[in-house]
Amino acid sequence: RPFDEARAWIRDPARAFKAQRASARVKARARLLTRAHAHARRQARRSAALRVGDLGDPLTPPSPGTMSSGLNMQATLVLCVSYGLLYSVQNMMAPNLTMMASEFGFDEHERDLYLGANLNMAFSVVCLPLSSVFAYAADVYNRKWMYSRLVLVGAASALMMAFSANTYMMLFFWRTVSGVAITGAIPVVFSLIADWYGPEQRPKASSGLSAAMGAGVIVGQILAGFVGPIFGWRAPFVLASLPGFVAVYFINKYMHEPTRGAKEEALEDLIKKGGSYDKKPTFGTLIRALRVPTNVLLLLQALPGTIPWGVIFVYLNDFLAQEKGLTIQQATMLVGVFGIGAAVGGIGGGILGARMWKRSKPLMPMLMGGSTALGVLPMVYVIGSDLKTMPVLVTISMTFLAGLLPNINGSCVRPLLLNVNTPESRGTMIGAMTLVANLGRGLGPSIAVMIMDTMGGRAGAMQAAVYAWLICGVFLLTMAVTVTADVKRMTLAMKHNASEMAV
């Protein structure tokens, strides 16, 4: 009634103004009520599907309950994609090390030392004191909240690598921040996997994470190999950071915090009765975990098992371009084949590992040890052969196998660690193994530089580093003797803890 309203304003403006304000207040209340009802309906649906309480407080553990398998798959998909994006910057400098050395005024030796060994040390080792805090926090606080913040920090550090790393010290600083984000995310991510999936499904879920990690690393490296020579080494970091910010939104929307211990058979009765496994980690928890033989062997294998990976990630791309005479694009594509092999090994290792664990638990460490030791042969071939004279198909096949065989272990080692530890010690032990693994990845390039100074070349240093996989294989094979007894010990410990909580 536009004409009636106009006449009301002409006759009595004050009264019309009051009427308009009253109408606006009524409409505002109606909108608020509508939103409140919609929010209540969403919360009811979420509670019915997830059977959890308040998920938003990062300091409050979730209420008892479990997630449905469909929501587990949805959350795992988001987790894998965001995990791959987080890892995309790990090896992004490798194709353009020589270009970066020219910008910072480094010669060949300084390039390998400062941009190779030292920056890798910052990424893998210097960040450990801060990132190790997340290993403890993963056993206590809201893991979804922590993971979303770590992905945000990772994306921001990649962006700052492009715009703020104008000096070597700033480059070192932002590389360290990136290492904190990635290293801190590892115990958080695998703690989530442990409570989304049971012991037999964990290797498969872990293989998805391993494949995502490998895909992220190789896509980032290929991006740097093709974009870097045209637009400069900083441009790939900008392109890699943008999807990370988007991933934070999907993490907050589609991932949810599971109940600790919800997938353990020993805690099934406690969870069904509405209880929760709220045992907290202590220093004594760590000491007891370090007395478990399988845990000790897993920590021992981590150092020799990751030294070759540290050398490969840092030097392989530039080695193929400089020493083997390939173009940057050719070297990047060959490293891409290596990455595809690693992704296939991660997925295949998870599937095979799950089947072997179900059939007989010792078969899983036997698979891990045998494949890691066999991975030495194709990798030594790729490093030592004259690739320009060898048949292309042979070179591609050997490079593929060099990535596939040693990475079978990667998708099985953390599920094995989860299966021999109680829920309150899993994050701490994953953090401890990550610390040792990062130490190996960080020391690998530094050891390679020392060998280069002695032997006078990259090829001999890289081959010497690869032989460390043989030592790793021995430790893994030894776990076939210990794993069955340690799984039984873990199950009895959880039943004991559950009976104490039920009283």
Side-chain angles (χ1 to χ4, degrees):
R1 301 171 180 175
F3 296 107
D4 293 342
E5 291 179 4
R7 280 195 294 268
W9 277 95
I10 293 171
R11 292 174 181 172
D12 192 347
R15 184 177 180 181
F17 177 72
K18 290 180 181 179
Q20 186 183 43
R21 290 193 62 184
S23 176
R25 284 195 295 268
V26 170
K27 291 179 180 178
R29 291 195 193 99
R31 285 196 297 270
L32 288 174
L33 286 173
T34 301
R35 291 175 184 173
H37 288 313
H39 179 71
R41 287 194 297 271
R42 286 194 299 270
Q43 289 295 100
R45 287 196 298 268
R46 179 180 294 181
S47 298
L50 305 180
R51 300 197 299 276
V52 299
D54 179 15
L55 303 178
D57 183 3
L59 303 180
T60 303
S63 301
T66 62
M67 295 175 67
S68 67
S69 59
L71 289 173
N72 281 342
M73 293 298 295
Q74 173 183 280
T76 304
L77 178 61
V78 174
L79 185 68
C80 287
V81 173
S82 58
Y83 197 60
L85 291 173
L86 193 60
Y87 265 93
S88 63
V89 300
Q90 177 176 338
N91 210 29
M92 197 166 274
M93 295 193 308
N96 302 304
L97 279 183
T98 302
M99 180 191 302
M100 294 177 66
S102 300
E103 179 177 325
F104 287 98
F106 295 148
D107 58 27
E108 290 186 359
H109 181 267
E110 291 172 331
R111 173 198 64 192
D112 292 338
L113 179 61
Y114 293 115
L115 298 180
N118 289 359
L119 283 186
N120 192 67
M121 185 75 71
F123 187 86
S124 302
V125 179
V126 177
C127 66
L128 288 179
L130 184 57
S131 59
S132 60
V133 174
F134 292 96
Y136 171 80
D139 290 327
V140 180
Y141 301 128
N142 188 295
R143 293 160 287 184
K144 170 198 163 183
W145 184 90
M146 287 191 291
Y147 180 63
S148 67
R149 270 58 180 180
L150 288 168
V151 173
L152 181 62
V153 170
S157 64
L159 196 63
M160 297 307 291
M161 283 278 290
F163 291 108
S164 179
N166 297 318
T167 64
Y168 180 75
M169 289 306 298
M170 290 304 297
L171 182 67
F172 190 93
F173 173 77
W174 289 116
R175 194 64 174 161
T176 303
V177 174
S178 181
V180 169
I182 292 178
T183 307
I186 294 173
V188 177
V189 162
F190 282 93
S191 180
L192 286 169
I193 288 294
D195 290 329
W196 283 342
Y197 298 97
E200 294 180 359
Q201 289 78 37
R202 284 169 192 158
K204 295 180 181 178
S206 177
S207 70
L209 284 175
S210 298
M213 180 189 72
V217 170
I218 202 60
V219 169
Q221 190 162 344
I222 291 174
L223 180 69
F226 283 90
V227 175
I230 301 173
F231 298 101
W233 67 269
R234 299 174 188 271
F237 284 95
V238 177
L239 297 177
S241 68
L242 299 180
F245 292 110
V246 178
V248 174
Y249 166 77
F250 284 95
I251 292 169
N252 291 325
K253 184 173 178 62
Y254 293 108
M255 281 179 55
H256 299 283
E257 181 77 3
T259 301
R260 296 184 191 276
K263 295 296 182 179
E264 303 296 340
E265 290 185 8
L267 305 177
E268 185 177 354
D269 292 337
L270 178 67
I271 300 296
K272 284 183 177 179
K273 293 176 182 178
S276 62
Y277 190 87
D278 54 1
K279 194 174 180 63
K280 299 295 187 292
T282 62
F283 183 72
T285 304
L286 177 61
I287 297 301
R288 286 191 295 273
L290 291 176
R291 292 174 182 167
V292 178
T294 302
N295 282 341
V296 175
L297 290 169
L298 284 168
L299 293 176
L300 289 174
Q301 65 84 33
L303 188 66
T306 52
I307 286 176
W309 288 108
V311 174
I312 290 167
F313 282 150
V314 173
Y315 294 125
L316 182 60
N317 200 303
D318 199 65
F319 169 77
L320 294 174
Q322 302 300 321
E323 273 78 359
K324 294 298 182 180
L326 304 180
T327 65
I328 292 179
Q329 287 79 8
Q330 289 173 336
T332 302
M333 291 304 297
L334 196 59
V335 173
V337 173
F338 177 87
I340 293 171
V344 173
I347 296 172
I351 296 172
L352 283 174
R355 290 181 178 178
M356 291 190 171
W357 182 267
K358 189 174 182 180
R359 179 177 297 178
S360 177
K361 292 174 176 59
L363 290 177
M364 187 175 178
M366 292 174 66
L367 169 69
M368 296 158 62
S371 60
T372 301
L374 288 174
V376 172
L377 299 177
M379 195 70 242
V380 168
Y381 172 87
V382 172
I383 295 171
S385 300
D386 184 0
L387 301 181
K388 298 186 77 173
T389 61
M390 296 300 295
V392 175
L393 185 60
V394 174
T395 299
I396 291 175
S397 300
M398 295 301 286
T399 305
F400 180 83
L401 287 174
L404 184 147
L405 289 173
N407 204 41
I408 290 175
N409 176 40
S411 60
C412 296
V413 64
R414 289 187 180 90
L416 182 57
L417 188 71
L418 296 173
N419 290 347
V420 297
N421 285 282
T422 54
E424 72 273 13
S425 62
R426 285 169 179 166
T428 304
M429 284 308 302
I430 289 177
M433 191 175 70
T434 302
L435 189 150
V436 178
N438 275 27
L439 187 64
R441 276 191 288 267
L443 290 177
S446 300
I447 294 171
V449 168
M450 290 190 290
I451 297 175
M452 289 176 203
D453 294 337
T454 304
M455 303 179 63
R458 279 178 168 180
M462 292 177 70
Q463 285 181 334
V466 167
Y467 284 116
W469 275 335
L470 295 175
I471 303 173
C472 175
V474 172
F475 287 128
L476 291 169
L477 289 170
T478 306
M479 286 191 296
V481 181
T482 65
V483 65
T484 302
D486 289 339
V487 170
K488 292 180 180 178
R489 173 206 55 79
M490 184 270 299
T491 304
L492 290 174
M494 280 197 298
K495 286 182 178 179
H496 175 72
N497 292 339
S499 63
E500 287 184 346
M501 293 176 185
V503 175

